[in-house]
Amino acid sequence: MPAWFDVAMFTIGWSLGWLLLWRRRPLPAGGGVGRQPVSIVVPARNEAHAIGGLVADLVDQVGPDDEIIVVDDRSDDGTAGAASAGATVISAAPPPPGWLGKPNACLTGRRAATNEILVFVDADVRPRDGFVDAIAAAVARNPDGLTSVQPWHEPGSAAEQLSMFCNVVALTGSGSFSAWGRWVRPTMAFGPVMATTGGAYDASGGHAHPSARSRITEDIALARLLPPVVLHAGRGRVSFRMYPGGLSDLVRGWTRTLAAGFGAASPTATVATIGWIWALSAAPFLAWWAYALAAAQVGVLARRAGRFSPLLAAVYPFALAVFVVILIRSTWRYATRRSVGWKGRRVDAR
């Protein structure tokens, strides 16, 4: 191909990266005065290292009518004891046939909840000041649908930094943060933080619905059951540390969900994301200026997803290679129905 064609194709792909993360869409602030009380449900399995911090952060924000319900999903590491200071801790029964542990735990928490606003939060999430008021206000604006927030990722080690592209693609694939996001109806949600009303949840079937109760990606199922879906990015409002176990933990975790997430993503956003990744892959072979532009862009966009190092952005092909390997691994396991190990359980990758 002539040189001008390569430059033009790189320019188009590189530009798509900016368009894919055009809008930040933070969770707006909410007024705490007169808001509806909230039931926060935390499904937790072997989360003793994280659950205490989450509960402490929530206790500082909840009002007298709010409740924090931690559902111990048959943990064997002291999760229940770590969560007991400030939360109501209940135990989930063994998942019935055809159920996975997390949907079963979430439904157990919903049945124990007494408030109309339901917020499902993963144990590794860290809510900042004002989160509870903000999520309650967001649900009040979308009472018949699902509101979901992707927390800002705070890696704790060099190995965890390698999930950079996985986190960025989680945002780009939704289409909600793109330049055309105002016209996109999301068909996916972010599992770490999902909120709705009890009435909408029960009417849809919630986690008991056949499409949700047996899926690792129950967030995708709920997004289809509870439209309209409103997505937000969590920077400044809520964060998490995803895989403190290091590289092996990271690979297993993203293998569970990455292929399913791609399958549920907006078609337009998927095509645009592939074009962007192609441009990033081609940049090192095109010219020094193309690589510099790509590295600078990765540094900017990655900070919209988490606290990722500028040094990693400078050598981004390493992180991009990790992403591609995980995506191939996840797609293979998904297509061949291979099981994935997670928190002491084996589950079908589909």
Side-chain angles (χ1 to χ4, degrees):
M1 292 292 180
W4 67 264
F5 181 83
D6 294 336
V7 172
M9 293 302 293
F10 167 77
T11 302
I12 292 171
W14 182 78
S15 299
L16 286 173
W18 296 117
L19 294 175
L20 281 163
L21 287 183
W22 186 260
R23 302 190 300 160
R24 295 180 183 272
R25 289 201 63 135
L27 188 64
V33 179
R35 68 163 173 81
Q36 286 185 280
V38 173
S39 292
I40 302 169
V41 176
V42 185
R45 176 172 170 82
N46 293 342
E47 296 285 0
H49 64 285
I51 192 70
L54 167 63
V55 172
D57 289 345
L58 289 173
V59 166
D60 289 339
Q61 299 185 39
V62 295
D65 296 323
D66 298 325
E67 56 189 3
I68 306 168
I69 303 169
V70 173
V71 184
D72 181 16
D73 183 17
R74 304 178 68 78
S75 302
D76 54 21
D77 69 343
T79 292
S84 60
T88 299
V89 180
I90 59 178
S91 296
W99 285 67
L100 293 184
K102 183 177 179 181
N104 181 54
C106 287
L107 182 62
T108 301
R110 191 287 170 262
R111 287 172 173 168
T114 61
N115 294 322
E116 177 61 8
I117 294 181
L118 300 174
V119 184
F120 297 95
V121 179
D122 282 358
D124 54 5
V125 167
R126 290 293 173 271
R128 309 284 178 86
D129 288 345
F131 165 75
V132 174
D133 288 345
I135 197 71
V139 173
R141 289 191 291 270
N142 184 33
D144 298 322
L146 185 68
T147 299
S148 185
V149 185
Q150 175 70 349
W152 199 63
H153 189 197
E154 296 200 32
S157 67
E160 293 169 63
Q161 290 274 336
L162 292 174
S163 71
M164 178 172 69
F165 278 101
C166 296
N167 285 95
V168 172
V169 168
L171 296 178
T172 64
S174 73
S176 290
F177 306 92
S178 66
W180 57 89
R182 298 181 189 278
W183 298 278
V184 170
R185 300 191 67 174
T187 56
M188 59 185 293
F190 303 126
V193 179
M194 297 187 293
T196 186
T197 59
Y201 178 90
D202 295 339
S204 73
H207 290 93
H209 194 278
S211 67
R213 64 193 183 200
S214 61
R215 293 190 63 169
I216 298 173
T217 51
E218 84 293 338
D219 48 353
I220 295 174
L222 287 182
R224 292 171 177 170
L225 294 170
L226 283 162
V229 179
V230 178
L231 302 180
H232 297 283
R235 184 172 184 176
R237 190 69 70 185
V238 58
S239 64
F240 62 178
R241 181 183 178 186
M242 293 188 69
Y243 300 120
L247 185 60
S248 61
D249 205 10
L250 181 154
V251 171
R252 285 197 306 272
W254 282 111
T255 295
R256 290 181 306 135
T257 59
L258 197 55
F262 249 107
S266 157
T268 302
T270 298
V271 172
T273 298
I274 292 171
W276 176 55
I277 290 173
W278 176 88
L280 296 181
S281 302
F285 305 100
L286 181 60
W288 68 266
W289 55 264
Y291 185 86
L293 286 174
Q297 182 189 56
V298 169
V300 173
L301 298 185
R303 295 292 288 189
R304 297 181 184 178
R307 185 171 49 80
F308 294 105
S309 169
L311 294 178
L312 182 60
V315 293
Y316 74 83
F318 292 102
L320 186 58
V322 171
F323 167 76
V324 171
V325 168
I326 294 174
L327 179 59
I328 292 172
R329 186 173 188 261
S330 181
T331 302
W332 169 253
R333 288 183 176 269
Y334 185 88
T336 59
R337 300 184 68 90
R338 298 291 185 91
S339 64
V340 179
W342 190 249
K343 295 187 183 296
R345 288 173 172 158
R346 302 296 299 182
V347 294
D348 189 316
R350 296 180 74 171

